[in-house]
C-alpha cells in the first residue's frame, strides 16, 4: 500500500509570491491534516479536511488555506509569502474516524528568500 | 502554559542503554496519545499509539500513559544506533494532534 505522497519535495520562493503544495493520502483514507514544522515552534497544526470539508483549523493567518478534492487528495496554498513561512510542511492522512491515527508524508521544504 | 511539554534533550546514550522519553500535558480533553520518530529530513513515523492509561508494549518499545498525572512516557530497551532520531510525543482530540517539540536522541556505538 503506497504511503502519503507530498509534492514537490523542495521549493524556493521569494517574499510576496504564493505557493501551492500537494498531498495524496493513503488509499482509502478520507482525512488529510496539514502541519508546519520549524526548529523554534516544532510541529504546529494548520487544518484538517474530511470529505472535502474543513473540519478543524489551527491558529494561522488567513494567508494559509487548503482544500480537498473528491478523491481525498488535498492542496495547501500560502499567499503573500513571508520570510517566516520558511518551514517543512507536512501532510498526514488518516481514516477520519475517532481513532485518528495519522500517517505522515516526507514533507515539502519551503524556503522563502 | 503550553498544552504539551516535552523534555528537550538532547539525549546521548551508549548502545544497549534503556532510554526514557517523557511528556506532560495540561489539556484534559486529550483522548489518544502517540509517539512518533523522525529521522533527519524525513516525515514523522508512527511508533506507538494508545487510548487509555497503562502500558503498551511493542518489541523494544513501551508506551506508558498516566491520565491522572497527565504524563506519558516512551521507554526504549536495548537501544541501537539506528534509534538515533528525534522523538515526538503527540496527543489528540477533535481530529487534531498537538505535538511536543521533540527530543533528539543519539545512541552511540
Amino acid at each position: 500500500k503506497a504511503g502519503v505522497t507530498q509534492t514537490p519535495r523542495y521549493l524556493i520562493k521569494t517574499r510576496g509570491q504564493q505557493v501551492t503544495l500537494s498531498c495524496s493520502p493513503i488509499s482509502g483514507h478520507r482525512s488529510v491534516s496539514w502541519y508546519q514544522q520549524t526548529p523554534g515552534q516544532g510541529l504546529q497544526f494548520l487544518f484538517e479536511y474530511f470529505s472535502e470539508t474543513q473540519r478543524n483549523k489551527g491558529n494561522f493567518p488567513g494567508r494559509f488555506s487548503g482544500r480537498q478534492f473528491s478523491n481525498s487528495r488535498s492542496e495547501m496554498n500560502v499567499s503573500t509569502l513571508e520570510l517566516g513561512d520558511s518551514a517543512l510542511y507536512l501532510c498526514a492522512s488518516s481514516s477520519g474516524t475517532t481513532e485518528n491515527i495519522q500517517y505522515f508524508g516526507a514533507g515539502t521544504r519551503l524556503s522563502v528568500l | 502554559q503550553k498544552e504539551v511539554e516535552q523534555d528537550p534533550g538532547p539525549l546521548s546514550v551508549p548502545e544497549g542503554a534503556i532510554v526514557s522519553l517523557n511528556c506532560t500535558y495540561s489539556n484534559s480533553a486529550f483522548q489518544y496519545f502517540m509517539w512518533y520518530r523522525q529521522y533527519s529530513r524525513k516525515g514523522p513515523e508512527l511508533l506507538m499509539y494508545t487510548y487509555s492509561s497503562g502500558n503498551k508494549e511493542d518489541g523494544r518499545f513501551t508506551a506508558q500513559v498516566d491520565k491522572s498525572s497527565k504524563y506519558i512516557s516512551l521507554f526504549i530497551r536495548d537501544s541501537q544506533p539506528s534509534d538515533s532520531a528525534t522523538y515526538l510525543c503527540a496527543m489528540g482530540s477533535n481530529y487534531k494532534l498537538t505535538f511536543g517539540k521533540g527530543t533528539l536522541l543519539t545512541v552511540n556505538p
Side-chain angles (χ1 to χ4, degrees):
Chain A
K1 201 175 195 181
V4 179
T5 303
Q6 290 188 247
T7 56
R9 289 294 313 279
Y10 302 94
L11 267 177
I12 299 176
K13 293 286 187 180
T14 56
R15 278 187 306 171
Q17 288 187 309
Q18 75 164 15
V19 67
T20 299
L21 313 182
S22 180
C23 173
S24 293
I26 292 169
S27 177
H29 282 186
R30 296 168 63 191
S31 169
V32 172
S33 298
W34 288 91
Y35 295 85
Q36 181 195 67
Q37 187 175 33
T38 59
Q41 298 299 318
L43 262 157
Q44 292 186 286
F45 173 75
L46 281 155
F47 29 67
E48 186 249 0
Y49 286 87
F50 178 78
S51 292
E52 302 179 67
T53 300
Q54 188 180 89
R55 192 163 59 172
N56 207 340
K57 188 178 187 304
N59 296 321
F60 277 81
R63 299 185 298 107
F64 293 82
S65 63
R67 58 178 175 168
Q68 186 179 34
F69 302 96
S70 58
N71 61 358
S72 294
R73 191 177 69 83
S74 177
E75 288 182 347
M76 190 192 92
N77 185 273
V78 187
S79 63
T80 319
L81 284 166
E82 300 177 359
L83 295 179
D85 296 334
S86 294
L88 180 66
Y89 290 88
L90 291 158
C91 162
S93 82
S94 75
S95 62
T97 64
T98 52
E99 288 188 339
N100 198 30
I101 299 170
Q102 296 187 14
Y103 299 91
F104 283 84
T108 294
R109 185 162 297 278
L110 172 65
S111 298
V112 182
L113 307 178
Chain B
Q1 182 186 9
K2 286 188 181 297
E3 279 191 292
V4 179
E5 300 272 8
Q6 183 170 1
D7 290 347
L11 200 54
S12 181
V13 302
E15 183 175 353
I18 296 175
V19 176
S20 171
L21 304 166
N22 309 294
C23 289
T24 58
Y25 62 96
S26 58
N27 188 346
S28 299
F30 288 138
Q31 300 167 316
Y32 39 89
F33 307 88
M34 299 172 184
W35 285 95
Y36 286 85
R37 176 175 63 194
Q38 186 174 24
Y39 292 111
S40 181
R41 312 195 80 79
K42 303 278 189 183
E45 168 194 3
L46 180 66
L47 275 178
M48 303 280 287
Y49 66 92
T50 184
Y51 305 94
S52 57
S53 284
N55 292 352
K56 182 176 181 179
E57 191 173 316
D58 184 2
R60 296 185 296 110
F61 298 90
T62 300
Q64 186 176 78
V65 174
D66 182 345
K67 286 189 177 181
S68 62
S69 301
K70 296 189 176 64
Y71 188 90
I72 73 170
S73 298
L74 178 71
F75 298 96
I76 307 173
R77 290 183 299 281
D78 188 25
S79 56
Q80 303 295 309
S82 58
D83 295 328
S84 298
T86 296
Y87 289 80
L88 299 154
C89 62
M91 310 186 187
S93 64
N94 294 329
Y95 314 107
K96 168 189 167 184
L97 290 181
T98 302
F99 283 82
K101 285 198 174 181
T103 301
L104 177 61
L105 170 68
T106 301
V107 181
N108 301 298

